[in-house]
Amino acid sequence: MPSLAPCAVNRIATDAFPASQRLDQWEAYNASFLVGLRCSSFSDEGLKARQSNMAVGQLALADIDGNAHVIERTPQLVRQHPKESVFVSLVLSSGAFFYQEHSCLHLVPGDLVIYDTRHAYLFGFTHQMHQFLVDTPADWFYRDCSRAQLPGPIRIAGEAGSGRVLNHAFKNLVGDAMARPEGVDQDRMQFEACDLLRAMMAGEAAGSSALRASHLLAARAHIDEHLHRHSMDAHEVATAAGVSLRHLNRLLQAEGRSVTQLILERRLERAAMELRQAALNRYSIAEIAYRCGFASQAHFARTFRSQHGMTPTQMREQPGRHRASI
C-alpha cells in the first residue's frame, strides 16, 4: 500500500521583481534551493523565469521555465557553494548547450543530461526554455545508480533508442510528482527514479535500443504489480515482457543481474519501503515479508541484511521514519 505524504513546494517568478533585480533574485533563490550559480540574460526585458522546487525524500525536484539565458557554475562558485550532487536535467523545450570537463554537448527537446555539480559547468538555452531537473545526492547516485564516477556530462538522446523510452518515463515520473505534490509516495518515487537512472547508465554503456528498454520496463512493471505473489518466477516475468527468459537475462547482463536477482532486489526494496513507514507498524515483520512475496522469514531476514546492511528490525527502528497516513 502506498504511503502518501504532501510535499512542500517552493516557487519563484522573476516577474515579481524589477528587471534590474531579477538576476540577483534568481541567483539567490537557486543558491538556497538548488545550487550556487551565476545567470546571464541578453533579453531587453531581462530574465523572465519561473521555478518550482520540491523535496521528495533524498531527492529534490525542480520545474524551470524561462526565456533564453545562460547559467554558469564557475570554479569559484563550486568552492563558495559546495554541492555534493549529481543533477539529471531533461530539456523539454529550447535548444541548449552544456559544457563541462572539456565536453560540449548540444541538446534538443527530449534530451537528458546527467552531470556532477562538484565540477564547474556552463548551461545555456537559446530560446524559451522548459526543463525538469532532479537533484540526487552524489553518494546515493554512485552507490545505487552508477558503478563508476561520471567521466564528464552524459547525454541521453531522446529522439530514438532506449533514450526515447527512458526519457519519456522520466518525464512522466517527475511531471506527475510536480503536478500532484499532495499525494507523492516518496519512497516509491525514489525507487523508480533510481531504477530509471540505473537503466540509463547501463544502456549508455551497452548502446541500448528502444526495444531493450521497453522489454525491461515491462518486466519491472510486471514484477512490481505481482510482488505479493510467492509463485512469481523468472519465466513468468519474461513472458510478460514478451521475450524468452534467456533473452531477458541477456538484456539484464549490462546491469549485472539476472531476472531472478531482479525479482529478489525489488522484493527487498519494497520491504524496506514498508518497514520505513510508521503507519505500517500494525504489520509484523513476518507479515511485511509475506506481503512482499517471501514465503520464508529466515530467507527474508538473511537476504535483507545482505542487501541493506542491517536487519529488518534495525531498519524499522531507524529514526526519522515517515509518519504519513496510507
Side-chain angles (χ1 to χ4, degrees):
M1 298 175 68
S3 56
L4 305 181
C7 295
V9 179
N10 294 284
R11 295 184 174 90
I12 185 176
T14 60
D15 281 346
F17 308 100
S20 61
Q21 299 179 16
R22 290 175 183 170
L23 291 177
D24 289 341
Q25 294 290 340
W26 188 254
E27 291 173 2
Y29 178 87
N30 275 279
S32 296
F33 289 98
L34 194 60
V35 68
L37 54 80
R38 180 182 301 151
C39 183
S40 302
S41 174
F42 301 100
S43 170
D44 291 339
E45 58 187 355
L47 179 67
K48 298 190 70 174
R50 296 176 301 178
Q51 184 173 167
S52 299
N53 295 82
M54 181 171 73
V56 180
Q58 296 186 77
L59 308 180
L61 315 184
D63 182 354
I64 308 168
D65 65 85
N67 57 359
H69 66 277
V70 175
I71 61 171
E72 297 178 81
R73 182 159 166 80
T74 65
Q76 181 181 10
L77 286 170
V78 170
R79 293 190 295 270
Q80 290 177 344
H81 300 278
K83 180 80 172 182
E84 298 283 330
S85 289
V86 172
F87 280 3
V88 184
S89 174
L90 176 64
V91 178
L92 300 171
S93 65
S94 176
F97 57 90
F98 186 91
Y99 177 81
Q100 185 186 50
E101 296 288 316
H102 308 294
S103 297
C104 187
L105 306 178
H106 296 275
L107 308 170
V108 298
D111 286 353
L112 181 147
V113 61
I114 304 173
Y115 53 100
D116 195 317
T117 62
R118 294 175 293 186
H119 305 290
Y121 60 84
L122 181 74
F123 204 168
F125 300 92
T126 58
H127 297 88
Q128 188 71 25
M129 58 77 68
H130 187 197
Q131 70 167 323
F132 285 155
L133 187 148
V134 176
D135 173 355
T136 77
D139 59 352
W140 179 87
F141 180 88
Y142 289 120
R143 182 186 67 241
D144 296 336
C145 304
S146 176
R147 298 179 182 179
Q149 298 284 312
L150 295 177
I154 301 293
R155 171 180 173 260
I156 309 295
E159 73 271 16
S162 63
R164 182 176 60 194
V165 176
L166 296 172
N167 292 4
H168 184 72
F170 183 86
K171 175 184 175 181
N172 288 341
L173 181 66
V174 178
D176 288 348
M178 297 299 298
R180 287 177 286 277
E182 70 283 355
V184 176
D185 183 344
Q186 298 191 30
D187 283 327
R188 188 70 193 164
M189 172 77 192
Q190 293 178 100
F191 183 44
E192 293 186 4
C194 179
D195 208 43
L196 283 173
L197 291 172
R198 187 187 296 128
M200 288 176 188
M201 298 303 293
E204 178 71 13
S208 183
S209 68
L211 190 59
R212 175 186 184 275
S214 297
H215 287 320
L216 292 179
L217 286 177
R220 289 182 170 92
H222 183 84
I223 293 171
D224 292 346
E225 186 177 353
H226 298 278
L227 273 182
H228 61 284
R229 287 183 36 243
H230 307 150
S231 60
M232 179 177 58
D233 62 16
H235 286 281
E236 174 188 329
V237 173
T239 299
V243 294
S244 69
L245 176 57
R246 181 179 179 182
H247 185 62
L248 187 56
N249 274 322
R250 190 161 55 244
L251 295 180
L252 282 165
Q253 280 180 354
E255 300 178 16
R257 56 173 56 79
S258 66
V259 181
T260 299
Q261 289 170 327
L262 180 62
I263 294 171
L264 177 60
E265 287 176 8
R266 295 181 88 80
R267 290 193 195 281
L268 292 169
E269 289 297 332
R270 176 70 63 81
M273 288 165 53
E274 296 200 359
L275 288 168
R276 287 193 292 261
Q277 301 302 320
L280 296 181
N281 279 349
R282 65 182 182 275
Y283 294 108
S284 69
I285 290 176
E287 288 172 319
I288 285 180
Y290 188 83
R291 283 158 54 90
C292 296
F294 289 94
S296 164
Q297 188 175 357
H299 174 61
F300 169 65
R302 183 174 62 255
T303 55
F304 189 94
R305 183 164 191 167
S306 176
Q307 175 80 2
H308 295 289
M310 64 180 72
T311 66
T313 300
Q314 288 170 330
M315 178 160 287
R316 170 163 270 182
E317 293 175 349
Q318 279 189 316
R321 295 164 61 222
H322 299 309
R323 288 175 168 76
S325 60
I326 54 176

